[in-house]
Amino acid sequence: MIGAHLRLPVGSVDLTSHDTRATPGFDGGKSEGKEALTDLDSTLSDLQERLFAEGQRGGSRAVLLVLQGMDTSGKGGVVRHTVGLVDPQGVDITAFKAPTEEERGHDFLWRIRKALPTPGRIGVFDRSHYEDVLIAKVRDLADADEIERRYEAINEFEADVVASGTHILKCMLHVSPDAQKERLLERLERPDKHWKFNPGDIDERQVWPAYREAYEVALERTNTEIAPWHVVPADRKWYRNLAIGLLLRDTLAQMRPTWPDADFDVEEQRARLTDEAPVA
Amino acid sequence: MIGAHLRLPVGSVDLTSHDTRATPGFDGGKSEGKEALTDLDSTLSDLQERLFAEGQRGGSRAVLLVLQGMDTSGKGGVVRHTVGLVDPQGVDITAFKAPTEEERGHDFLWRIRKALPTPGRIGVFDRSHYEDVLIAKVRDLADADEIERRYEAINEFEADVVASGTHILKCMLHVSPDAQKERLLERLERPDKHWKFNPGDIDERQVWPAYREAYEVALERTNTEIAPWHVVPADRKWYRNLAIGLLLRDTLAQMRPTWPDADFDVEEQRARLTDEAPVA
């Protein structure tokens, strides 16, 4: 279980003590890691299809994968390479940007609630309600009391979500400033990557310690038993993709989704087909 | 261009003249077909990413893939195996079921409009507004005048969609009643497929000729120059998946999406990174 290696212990958080280049719980290197991800495909697909089937036949369970991390930490890469392994029909991906005017007129959880996965589905949040205690804190988009209130509001919200049958898997993609620099320079180097670059990314980078602190507080305050955090070393892309794949597999496997029983008489339906008059 | 083989000629339509087991435009067999689909991956992914990038940077173009076909014709299989090749972040899949009470309170195109892809995205309709001239006609869910009105309404609607920058690729997955029977029996045979089976599927099967006729009229009336129909033989799953992949590739390639130009000064941004003070 990769979770044993990545699950954040309860208590105060020091991100500098988490090695961004480590590969906890996996012995191999890059090629073995990529192969292990490919090998996950059928298991993940099978589990996802069972969950989907369950949702189609009255089940209420779902999965929510929350991806947080600094720019270039690879949230998009995880969606493409890991989430992309399963049937896209069963997945809902929401990329949260700066809130719109309408969204700002509501509580910060309003737009989040609307994006929750429906039964049988895997919801993926590329950024999430955590931005409201991360950039909101670093950039003073809300005052200190409001930020303080939000940690509790998030815990209550997530408790409700879990109680409704949705398993929450929270992952912080932990990238180093050096790896980020390299990736930002690559985006500048390659014309096919220019569209991914925003000068604002460098502005945020320049307050890295403030973000680290905001992450540390947010992780500590919202690292609950029902929705714990995982810190995923993200300097090695292959490990990051594999680790999330394994966490997702373990989450689904733990749910033990089973094929729903037929709600019709199989023999009767078979007879309708085998005894039918020619149809065309 | 596979389209030359699959594009439905303008004029009256006789579906019995389209062989459901044929593999037009492709010489190989099953293994070559599967390999050809795998080989499409990088081309499709590259084109999709360019379109997505364009949309992120102010472009207005999008693609809408409309999948229609009888039960078991493989709409879901196409989404999984073909659409599943590209980054799920750029794809919006909508499976249209029987309209809800709210949806029935609006014009039939109301729910369709809401599901149109936004710029840069590939929208996929698993069933669509065509149900409103197919099952609606076969099952008398609307009177003849209303059905008549809908053909024109669809053409006007699609003309608007195309004018807004969305390329429409309409595919009818053409399956034989024999192949359907086999697939329905398989769903009954396998407990892991029971959830896909509905006794209602057999009810619809029993009025196959009425559906064929409704399809023929719908295809004829909405086979416009700006949004033509393709009839895809669907008895062979590998061909069906490959053919839609090739049609999608050709649609995207024709659009020639290009990487957006940087809207910032690349050198200036590079200097900000290379000259920066240590960030952590």
Side-chain angles (χ1 to χ4, degrees):
Chain A
M1 299 278 280
I2 191 92
H5 299 272
L6 300 177
R7 189 163 167 167
L8 185 68
V10 170
S12 72
V13 179
D14 174 9
L15 281 173
T16 61
S17 73
H18 292 258
D19 182 358
T20 55
R21 289 186 63 76
T23 62
F26 190 75
D27 284 336
K30 184 172 179 170
S31 60
E32 291 91 343
K34 288 190 162 194
E35 208 178 301
L37 183 63
T38 305
D39 291 346
L40 259 187
D41 188 350
S42 62
T43 309
L44 260 185
S45 291
D46 177 67
L47 287 164
Q48 179 274 326
E49 192 180 358
R50 286 165 185 258
L51 179 69
F52 186 79
E54 190 185 287
Q56 293 290 101
R57 294 286 170 163
S60 61
R61 300 191 301 172
V63 168
L64 174 62
L65 169 63
V66 175
L67 299 174
Q68 277 293 154
M70 297 292 285
D71 286 321
T72 76
S73 61
K75 302 175 291 291
V78 166
V79 176
R80 180 170 194 157
H81 298 289
T82 304
V83 177
L85 292 175
V86 308
D87 189 344
Q89 286 162 107
V91 177
D92 294 311
I93 301 155
T94 310
F96 290 99
K97 310 282 181 190
T100 62
E101 201 181 317
E102 186 192 15
E103 287 167 351
R104 284 199 309 272
H106 293 270
D107 180 68
F108 75 104
L109 291 170
W110 180 74
R111 65 175 183 163
I112 306 296
R113 274 198 187 89
K114 291 202 304 177
L116 286 172
T118 52
R121 305 184 68 87
I122 298 175
V124 181
F125 286 179
D126 172 350
R127 301 185 187 274
S128 66
H129 42 303
Y130 285 98
E131 292 297 322
D132 297 287
V133 291
L134 293 167
I135 192 171
K137 182 179 162 102
V138 172
R139 294 299 184 184
D140 288 325
L141 305 179
D143 63 35
D145 284 354
E146 169 63 10
I147 297 289
E148 195 57 33
R149 181 190 76 79
R150 288 180 183 175
Y151 300 121
E152 247 342 280
I154 287 173
N155 288 339
E156 283 170 25
F157 167 69
E158 291 182 355
D160 286 348
V161 171
V162 170
S164 77
T166 296
H167 289 239
I168 302 181
L169 174 58
K170 301 193 291 198
C171 299
M172 189 264 185
L173 309 187
H174 188 33
V175 77
S176 66
D178 284 350
Q180 190 197 53
K181 182 174 184 167
E182 203 178 293
R183 291 175 190 177
L184 288 174
L185 283 170
E186 195 197 356
R187 288 184 183 178
L188 289 170
E189 205 61 52
R190 293 175 48 178
D192 63 331
K193 299 270 187 191
H194 282 168
W195 67 278
K196 290 190 178 187
F197 182 90
N198 277 303
D201 299 345
I202 302 184
D203 301 335
E204 300 312 303
R205 171 179 172 75
Q206 285 167 346
V207 290
W208 191 280
Y211 271 104
R212 187 175 53 230
E213 196 200 316
Y215 265 104
E216 287 173 346
V217 177
L219 293 175
E220 181 185 335
R221 296 289 300 274
T222 62
N223 190 25
T224 57
E225 205 170 314
I226 50 134
W229 273 104
H230 301 80
V231 175
V232 179
D235 280 6
R236 299 179 198 266
K237 296 177 183 176
W238 66 263
Y239 176 78
R240 173 200 72 198
N241 295 342
L242 173 62
I244 308 268
L246 293 169
L247 286 169
L248 192 56
R249 182 203 60 189
D250 291 346
T251 301
L252 286 162
Q254 230 177 11
M255 296 169 75
R256 297 181 180 277
T258 51
W259 299 114
D261 288 332
D263 53 4
F264 49 83
D265 183 324
V266 174
E267 281 318 310
E268 185 186 319
Q269 297 302 323
R270 202 197 317 264
R272 286 181 74 196
L273 278 166
T274 49
D275 303 346
E276 74 183 2
V279 299
Chain B
M1 301 280 279
I2 191 91
H5 300 271
L6 300 178
R7 190 164 167 165
L8 185 68
V10 171
S12 71
V13 179
D14 174 7
L15 280 172
T16 62
S17 73
H18 292 258
D19 181 358
T20 55
R21 290 186 62 78
T23 61
F26 190 75
D27 284 335
K30 184 173 181 172
S31 60
E32 292 92 343
K34 288 190 162 195
E35 208 179 302
L37 182 62
T38 307
D39 290 348
L40 258 189
D41 188 350
S42 62
T43 309
L44 260 186
S45 291
D46 177 68
L47 287 164
Q48 179 272 327
E49 192 180 359
R50 287 164 184 260
L51 180 68
F52 186 78
E54 191 185 286
Q56 293 290 101
R57 295 286 170 164
S60 61
R61 301 192 299 173
V63 168
L64 174 62
L65 170 63
V66 175
L67 299 175
Q68 278 293 154
M70 296 295 282
D71 286 321
T72 77
S73 61
K75 301 175 291 292
V78 167
V79 176
R80 179 171 195 156
H81 298 289
T82 304
V83 177
L85 292 176
V86 308
D87 189 344
Q89 287 163 106
V91 177
D92 294 311
I93 301 155
T94 310
F96 290 99
K97 309 282 179 190
T100 62
E101 201 183 317
E102 186 192 15
E103 287 167 352
R104 284 198 308 272
H106 293 270
D107 181 69
F108 76 105
L109 291 170
W110 180 73
R111 64 175 185 163
I112 306 296
R113 276 199 184 87
K114 291 203 303 175
L116 286 171
T118 52
R121 304 184 70 87
I122 298 175
V124 181
F125 285 178
D126 171 349
R127 304 186 184 273
S128 66
H129 43 301
Y130 285 97
E131 292 297 321
D132 298 287
V133 291
L134 293 167
I135 191 171
K137 182 180 162 102
V138 172
R139 295 297 183 183
D140 288 324
L141 306 179
D143 64 34
D145 284 355
E146 169 62 10
I147 298 288
E148 195 57 34
R149 182 192 75 81
R150 288 181 182 174
Y151 301 120
E152 249 340 283
I154 287 173
N155 288 338
E156 282 170 26
F157 166 69
E158 292 183 353
D160 287 347
V161 171
V162 169
S164 77
T166 295
H167 289 239
I168 302 180
L169 174 57
K170 300 193 292 199
C171 298
M172 190 263 186
L173 308 189
H174 188 32
V175 78
S176 66
D178 285 349
Q180 189 196 52
K181 181 174 185 169
E182 202 177 295
R183 291 174 190 177
L184 288 174
L185 283 170
E186 195 196 355
R187 289 183 182 178
L188 289 170
E189 205 61 53
R190 293 175 48 178
D192 62 331
K193 299 271 187 192
H194 283 167
W195 68 278
K196 290 191 177 184
F197 181 89
N198 278 303
D201 299 346
I202 301 184
D203 301 335
E204 299 313 302
R205 172 179 171 76
Q206 286 167 346
V207 289
W208 191 283
Y211 271 104
R212 186 176 54 230
E213 196 199 316
Y215 265 104
E216 286 173 346
V217 177
L219 293 174
E220 180 184 335
R221 296 290 299 273
T222 62
N223 190 26
T224 57
E225 204 170 315
I226 50 134
W229 273 103
H230 301 80
V231 175
V232 179
D235 279 5
R236 298 178 199 265
K237 296 177 183 179
W238 66 264
Y239 175 79
R240 171 201 75 198
N241 295 342
L242 173 62
I244 307 268
L246 293 168
L247 286 169
L248 192 56
R249 183 203 59 191
D250 291 346
T251 301
L252 285 162
Q254 229 178 12
M255 294 168 76
R256 297 181 181 275
T258 52
W259 299 114
D261 288 331
D263 54 4
F264 49 83
D265 183 323
V266 175
E267 282 317 312
E268 187 186 317
Q269 297 301 324
R270 202 196 317 263
R272 285 180 73 196
L273 279 166
T274 50
D275 303 346
E276 74 182 0
V279 297

